[in-house]
Amino acid sequence: MNKEEVIKIYQDVLTKRRKRFPNYFFVGDEGKKYMRYMTCYLLEQHLTVPIDEIPSQVTANTLWSHRLRPPAMLYGWNYYEVINNAYPGKFKPWQFQQAPDKYWDGEEGKRRAIEAVKYVIEEKLKLPMEEVPFKVNFHFFKQHGLGGAFTLLGYSPFQIVETIYPGVFSPWQFAHVPMNCWKNEEYIRGLWIIFYSNNYISLHMRMLFFN
């Protein structure tokens, strides 16, 4: 069955001219291909969602309310897997308004959270390391759909970055330092070393200039 025929059947199901999909319509790889045709038709043509806005506009209810839940259940797919079938590798699960159920759970969830933040920093935004403390803030996590990662990894931009890049940055480089940061003797000692080093260099330069 070609793409046009599949979409015509789906249109008939949506408009209730047809009560259900044909028997064995979703069997095997051919059925998954039909699901891809239908999902792309639904989002791009029927609902006119721009492809790049799918993560921000499409939820599970978007698909299920348009008769895609029964075939998804045949494959054991959640709504993200339906979209990934239609747009392979185009989107990450955490980019959507609702991550798949249990996506952030346990040690696997923590690993995914770290990978997600690192992906945005290094691949999506390609941030130079020196810009990380200035760009990775509360707004960063909200803007890039990383609310789940933010919650899971400690509610602190510095603590999250420290998990990904251990020992690279100091907490005072960030706009919001972690709670109790200034009670940590190691952090305070490091800050004083930097303070005195900078003042020594500044004093030395002034002496050279005036001499």
Side-chain angles (χ1 to χ4, degrees), residues 145-181:
L146 294 170
F150 182 71
T151 302
L152 183 62
L153 295 177
Y155 296 94
S156 163
F158 166 72
Q159 289 175 345
I160 293 170
V161 171
E162 174 69 9
T163 301
I164 301 169
Y165 308 108
V168 174
F169 303 101
S170 298
W172 56 81
Q173 293 177 271
F174 290 75
H176 299 277
V177 299
M179 187 178 296
N180 298 323
C181 170

Side-chain angles (χ1 to χ4, degrees), residues 92-99 104 116 120 124 139-150:
K92 304 288 185 183
W94 44 265
Q95 291 179 286
F96 290 78
Q97 294 182 48
Q98 52 185 124
W104 300 117
V120 174
K124 184 176 180 180
H139 178 67
F140 168 90
F141 292 94
K142 182 178 181 180
Q143 181 181 13
H144 298 288
L146 294 170
F150 182 71

Side-chain angles (χ1 to χ4, degrees), residues 74-90:
L74 290 175
Y75 304 122
W77 286 349
N78 58 43
Y79 87 101
Y80 168 74
E81 289 167 320
V82 173
I83 293 173
N84 194 52
N85 176 67
Y87 306 95
K90 174 71 174 173

Side-chain angles (χ1 to χ4, degrees), residues 6 20 44 46 55 64 71 81 87 94 103 110 130 139 153 160 182 197 207 210:
V6 171
R20 59 184 180 85
E44 297 176 37
H46 187 74
W64 303 160
E81 289 167 320
Y87 306 95
W94 44 265
Y103 186 76
K110 185 175 180 179
E130 62 270 18
H139 178 67
L153 295 177
I160 293 170
W182 303 122
S197 296
M207 290 173 65
F210 286 111

